[in-house]
Amino acid sequence: MTLTDHPTVTRDRWIADRKALLAREKELTQLRDRIAAERRALPWVRLEKDYVFDTADGPRSLSELFQGRRQLLVQHFMFGPGWEQGCKSCSYMADHLDGMALHLAHRDIALLVVSRAPLSELLRFRERMGWQFPWASSQGSDFNRDFHVSFEPEDRQDGEVYYNFHMTAFPQTEAPGISVFYKDDAGAVFHTYSTFGRGVEVMMGTYSLVDLTPKGRDEDGLSYTMEWVRHHDRYEDMPPAPASCCGADKA
């Protein structure tokens, strides 16, 4: 089925088909709610390492980055040492953060973006992109490797690394992800959840709207490589699409 050869029907037939699809959408909504409950019920892991990050306010531990809240949502942003700029797909994710930050704060959730590049490079890129969210450098700590979003040569076995909870042939030294942490009254920090691969689409609200349209993502033949995405200040010229910076295991 294509846009140029798409069926056209009467309004009554459209309503009938739409109601059938609505039933399926309700099934998906109910399944999503059940999975969300299962996610909240997952056991936690208490962090034993005292990770320290380089921030605009100086060195800070993970516990100090909760911004007075109990919950912390971290975007693992692909930006390695020496990179010219951050990953375009991670930038697409990050474009959604500033608008959500205030609302999340009122649900006791702080936002933090973490990358392995030096802080000066992160802040320079953040200024270029016009973002306001806090961005911390994990360079010099084990944070990225412990959460399996940065890979050293010794992490590869037969060309594969441990990513998205299994061994896979991920092509880059940095990978995208989202991790969630909770801090109790005693100051102990717990890792409660992480998602990788296509799981990071929860941060891409634009996709939810694109999925409502006839053309959709135009990615069916691209294995969801996001080749159409550009840094938001680079759409005008639209150079030939490069390979996705995070296109590996997309499931």
Side-chain angles (χ1 to χ4, degrees), residues 34 44 54 59 73 79 94 99 106 124 130 139 142 151 195 205 216 229:
R34 291 196 296 271
W44 299 349
D54 193 11
L73 192 151
F79 197 156
H106 283 81
R124 187 181 308 117
Q139 189 176 42
D142 295 328
F151 314 109
T195 188
V229 170

Side-chain angles (χ1 to χ4, degrees), residues 118-134:
L119 181 65
S120 59
E121 297 176 13
L122 303 180
L123 297 183
R124 187 181 308 117
F125 185 63
R126 186 180 69 171
E127 181 178 6
R128 167 189 150 185
M129 301 300 283
W131 295 325
Q132 301 297 317
F133 53 73

Side-chain angles (χ1 to χ4, degrees), residues 37-245:
E38 293 175 16
R39 184 184 300 120
R40 293 190 297 271
L42 277 173
W44 299 349
V45 176
R46 180 169 178 163
L47 297 189
E48 301 298 336
K49 287 188 179 180
D50 189 19
Y51 298 106
V52 177
F53 302 85
D54 193 11
T55 79
D57 299 316
R60 293 290 186 272
S61 68
L62 185 63
S63 178
E64 294 175 303
L65 295 174
F66 278 69
Q67 304 166 39
R69 297 178 177 86
R70 291 177 179 268
Q71 303 172 105
L72 176 66
L73 192 151
V74 171
Q75 179 189 357
H76 301 289
F77 191 116
M78 295 172 65
F79 197 156
W83 288 23
E84 179 181 350
Q85 57 188 355
C87 162
K88 63 185 179 67
S89 300
C90 291
S91 297
Y92 173 63
M93 291 171 61
D95 281 336
H96 297 79
L97 290 181
D98 285 337
M100 295 190 291
L102 179 63
H103 302 287
L104 291 173
H106 283 81
R107 293 301 304 158
D108 201 20
I109 303 167
L111 285 174
L112 178 69
V113 177
V114 174
S115 301
R116 212 160 51 101
L119 181 65
S120 59
E121 297 176 13
L122 303 180
L123 297 183
R124 187 181 308 117
F125 185 63
R126 186 180 69 171
E127 181 178 6
R128 167 189 150 185
M129 301 300 283
W131 295 325
Q132 301 297 317
F133 53 73
W135 203 341
S137 171
S138 61
Q139 189 176 42
S141 82
D142 295 328
F143 184 77
N144 276 42
R145 288 187 73 191
D146 286 353
F147 285 89
H148 305 289
V149 290
S150 290
F151 314 109
E152 298 295 344
E154 57 267 30
D155 296 323
R156 296 190 180 273
Q157 301 176 20
D158 298 323
E160 295 185 333
V161 296
Y162 186 78
Y163 177 64
N164 202 12
F165 308 106
H166 69 291
M167 297 300 294
T168 184
F170 197 87
Q172 301 289 341
T173 59
E174 311 293 324
I178 300 169
S179 289
V180 183
F181 303 89
Y182 180 83
K183 184 166 68 170
D184 67 13
D185 290 339
V189 176
F190 302 85
H191 175 218
T192 69
Y193 182 72
S194 284
T195 188
F196 308 97
R198 287 193 62 192
V200 303
E201 288 184 10
V202 296
M203 195 176 283
M204 303 175 183
T206 301
Y207 260 156
S208 295
L209 296 182
V210 169
D211 286 343
L212 300 180
T213 66
K215 290 181 65 177
R217 304 185 187 192
D218 281 335
E219 292 180 342
D220 290 345
L222 299 175
S223 301
Y224 296 96
T225 56
M226 302 180 68
E227 293 188 14
W228 64 273
V229 170
R230 303 289 186 274
H231 293 102
H232 64 238
D233 61 347
R234 295 292 187 265
Y235 273 112
E236 183 177 357
D237 295 332
M238 289 296 290
S244 172
C245 55

